[in-house]
Amino acid sequence: MASTAKKSVPTLTLAGARTALAAAEKRAQEIKVPMNIAVVDSACHLLAFERMEGAKITSISIAMDKAFTAAGHRIPTSSYKEAVWPGGPAYGINNSNGGRFSTIGGGVPIIDQETGAVLGAVGCSTGLPSQDEDVASAGVDAVKRVLAVKAKL
Amino acid sequence: MASTAKKSVPTLTLAGARTALAAAEKRAQEIKVPMNIAVVDSACHLLAFERMEGAKITSISIAMDKAFTAAGHRIPTSSYKEAVWPGGPAYGINNSNGGRFSTIGGGVPIIDQETGAVLGAVGCSTGLPSQDEDVASAGVDAVKRVLAVKAKL
Amino acid sequence: MASTAKKSVPTLTLAGARTALAAAEKRAQEIKVPMNIAVVDSACHLLAFERMEGAKITSISIAMDKAFTAAGHRIPTSSYKEAVWPGGPAYGINNSNGGRFSTIGGGVPIIDQETGAVLGAVGCSTGLPSQDEDVASAGVDAVKRVLAVKAKL
Amino acid sequence: MASTAKKSVPTLTLAGARTALAAAEKRAQEIKVPMNIAVVDSACHLLAFERMEGAKITSISIAMDKAFTAAGHRIPTSSYKEAVWPGGPAYGINNSNGGRFSTIGGGVPIIDQETGAVLGAVGCSTGLPSQDEDVASAGVDAVKRVLAVKAKL
């Protein structure tokens, strides 16, 4: 019988992270914007990372921060908008977590359709925030498709 | 024969950095604003630095951060404007890279006319952002002139 | 014609980093120690990273720091030994570079046989330092083999 | 008449820093070890810096830290030896100043013969600590010679 002192947490695997990386990279090539692509697990820790040829050096840590933030706060980093501007209820939140909390589009959580849990996140950086989110979403969607296929079996 | 496991990246030399330093310093004297002048290579690492007599102590790291950012993100640090103001898509990007991402004018990339690659950047600080950019641009232009002369030979 | 203001620097590509990752992972499976594997370019910047299932969370940054240090100081991180112990000439060097300088075995530079230049480095962490170095070396050797084959063509 | 509320502090100038840089670079070329060379003023703030072609990237901050420490604690960084080892009275001091306190040879203060004041310091890094100190000392000696000549006039 299950103990209340422990539980099991669903999370992305390295295999899942690779699925996300490959799909994100493919999308980045389609839109012709080389990307830094970071994938974290449900505990916000890095699982896999790739810097495509031509991606910006100063976007390495930004990609990681976006994935970190999306997994931890469980919403896309593009969601903050008015909330973080002066007068908004979350103004200044980007200073939290040692400055790693990113409110720039390009971080997208991977939500488990089966449990509703956040399994991890993909963060991308080098292009416009909208391009970064587009590419990160391609990675997230690929993982969801794999999970959906498995669920049906 | 070229291997896909390695490639060659163009970058600024110390000789090139000195050319930039000398020209930036000359321009700073013309406009009568002593400057901190930092020059980084294409990997965002410091190549050369000088603090002119009278330049601000608290602008030492600002000059370095501007050069770091301009080389990494490949555009002048003055380019961000609306993008980083409240409501802009990159609002909060200045918190990234351990707080080193500068969105204040005065960081200018050195773009190689021949290859289009960013060879490095010059960052200046002490004056108004427009003055800092003016002086940094003088350094960048001097390197471009040297490269153009060599290219003709 | 070559200008003295710019030069070309050889460096590892993402393709090369993947070769290193795959070989290091294979070796980690052989010795049954799951690893964090980080690969950096010649400028010490992260190119690719993977955390194998079971690798330690607190070894993520250690693996990155080992790769960073091996690429920058151009020797395996296992080389320091007496130099960094009390009484050694480099005692305390692990505090440098914002605490990122690692003197623990497991970081191995990728030296280009053709030019002698350091192309990048592989850093591993989770096992004993000797195991970490074993796995990192497997990654480095795989890149050298690919480069050697290409050189012969 | 002098007020007790203010005083005048002797310090190195940028001209003096350039003298140090040039002499240190010359010495580095003689011993065939390319160096990162940092020069700070009497307030421990960076005046000038150069990274010679081939100097280590991970030694950029080490050179700066050595100069910072030598100017602030007013002795060569090679002086600490037993004092910083376990059991020594300064054990752990390398953790101070945000980790910037360097106890590795290669940082040498510039002492004003006339007043006994520390005017600044030179810090070098890339070679063995003994080589780093050799090169830094060449820079310091050059400044002392210039000062001695001026004092005689």
Side-chain angles (χ1 to χ4, degrees), chain B:
Chain B
M1 183 187 161
S3 159
T4 56
K6 69 174 179 181
K7 62 174 179 177
S8 242
V9 179
T11 187
L12 194 68
T13 59
L14 175 54
R18 281 172 174 157
T19 297
L21 266 187
E25 187 178 347
K26 184 165 171 289
R27 180 65 185 147
Q29 286 164 340
E30 284 170 8
I31 68 167
K32 296 184 170 51
V33 182
M35 288 280 173
N36 290 281
I37 307 165
V39 188
V40 302
D41 64 18
S42 64
C44 305
H45 295 304
L46 195 64
L47 263 175
F49 172 85
E50 280 193 1
R51 171 160 51 101
M52 294 171 66
E53 300 295 325
K56 293 173 183 165
I57 290 173
T58 34
S59 284
I60 295 172
S61 75
I62 296 174
M64 290 183 191
D65 290 352
K66 286 177 179 176
F68 167 83
T69 304
H73 257 52
R74 302 175 198 147
I75 50 170
T77 53
S78 62
S79 309
Y80 295 93
K81 293 192 175 67
E82 289 83 358
V84 296
W85 296 344
Y91 178 62
I93 200 170
N94 46 310
N95 288 311
S96 74
N97 288 273
R100 296 193 61 200
F101 198 103
S102 178
T103 59
I104 305 169
V108 182
I110 303 170
I111 296 170
D112 185 17
Q113 307 295 75
E114 192 188 340
T115 63
V118 169
L119 301 175
V122 180
C124 293
S125 183
T126 284
L128 299 170
S130 56
Q131 294 172 319
D132 296 348
E133 181 166 79
D134 178 353
V135 171
S137 296
V140 170
D141 291 346
V143 175
K144 285 185 179 170
R145 277 195 302 273
V146 169
L147 291 172
V149 168
K150 299 272 176 175
K152 277 187 200 161
L153 297 180

Side-chain angles (χ1 to χ4, degrees), chain C residues 111-141:
Chain C
I111 296 170
D112 185 17
Q113 307 295 76
E114 191 188 342
T115 63
V118 169
L119 300 176
V122 180
C124 292
S125 182
T126 283
L128 299 169
S130 56
Q131 293 173 319
D132 295 348
E133 183 168 78
D134 177 354
V135 171
S137 297
V140 169
D141 291 346

Side-chain angles (χ1 to χ4, degrees), chain D residues 96-115:
Chain D
S96 73
N97 288 272
R100 296 193 60 201
F101 198 103
S102 177
T103 59
I104 305 169
V108 181
I110 303 170
I111 297 171
D112 184 16
Q113 307 296 71
E114 192 188 344
T115 63

